[in-house]
Amino acid sequence: MSTESSPRPHTDLPEGRELVLKVIPMPADTNGNGDIFGGWVMAQVDLAGAVLPARYVKGRMATVAVNQFIFKQPVRVGDILSFYSHVARVGNTSITVQVEVFAERFSAQGQYVKVTEASLTYVAIDHEGRPRPIPREGLPAGMA
């Protein structure tokens, strides 16, 4: 992730999305440029993306695809990262989730910049690791 000196305008936080994770990256999470390592951000997105599917899968699940991952802005040490997600699609055994990540810069509290967005797919699995059907009860409206 590159360094950036130009200020970014205030970004409104997304409506209709659920806040599923907040985290502050630390110096140990930096890459050679001094920004937060992209792989660290990806790991946090995978954790955040799994929160909503876990409610519906009711058991084990596995990440099977990162359909899209876009780094929009660098993440810096001390940023407060807010991860928002929503279920985009529910199949027979899989759930696709959209995750948006906003940084509240340490020096600009109360202002948010979208730093990352991603789409991930999780599959419900049984105790042997094979795909299994997702229970239909309790799914979001229009997805059952």
Side-chain angles (χ1 to χ4, degrees):
M1 304 179 97
S2 63
T3 21
E4 180 176 304
S5 58
S6 62
R8 288 290 173 194
H10 171 76
T11 299
D12 291 328
L13 295 174
E15 292 185 23
R17 309 289 191 254
E18 184 171 341
L19 176 64
V20 293
L21 179 68
K22 274 194 169 250
V23 67
I24 300 173
M26 302 305 285
D29 305 317
T30 58
N31 61 22
N33 296 322
D35 295 319
I36 299 304
F37 180 57
W40 181 89
V41 175
M42 293 178 83
Q44 302 308 305
V45 166
D46 191 22
L47 291 170
V51 170
L52 296 181
R55 292 180 184 163
Y56 308 115
V57 167
K58 298 186 182 12
R60 290 182 63 197
M61 65 181 176
T63 308
V64 295
V66 177
N67 309 309
Q68 180 183 40
F69 209 104
I70 301 170
F71 293 103
K72 296 179 155 297
Q73 298 292 323
V75 176
R76 300 182 182 110
V77 171
D79 286 351
I80 301 169
L81 299 183
S82 299
F83 296 73
Y84 290 84
S85 71
H86 77 279
V87 174
R89 179 188 171 281
V90 178
N92 289 331
T93 61
S94 67
I95 297 181
T96 300
V97 178
Q98 301 296 128
V99 179
E100 294 175 281
V101 185
F102 293 84
E104 187 175 3
R105 304 294 189 193
F106 183 77
S107 61
Q109 299 284 317
Q111 295 183 359
Y112 300 89
V113 176
K114 184 190 270 190
V115 294
T116 305
E117 60 186 50
S119 170
L120 301 98
T121 301
Y122 300 87
V123 168
I125 56 176
D126 64 18
H127 63 280
E128 294 174 4
R130 292 183 300 230
R132 64 173 174 79
I134 295 170
R136 303 327 273 175
E137 64 278 350
L139 287 176
M143 295 195 187

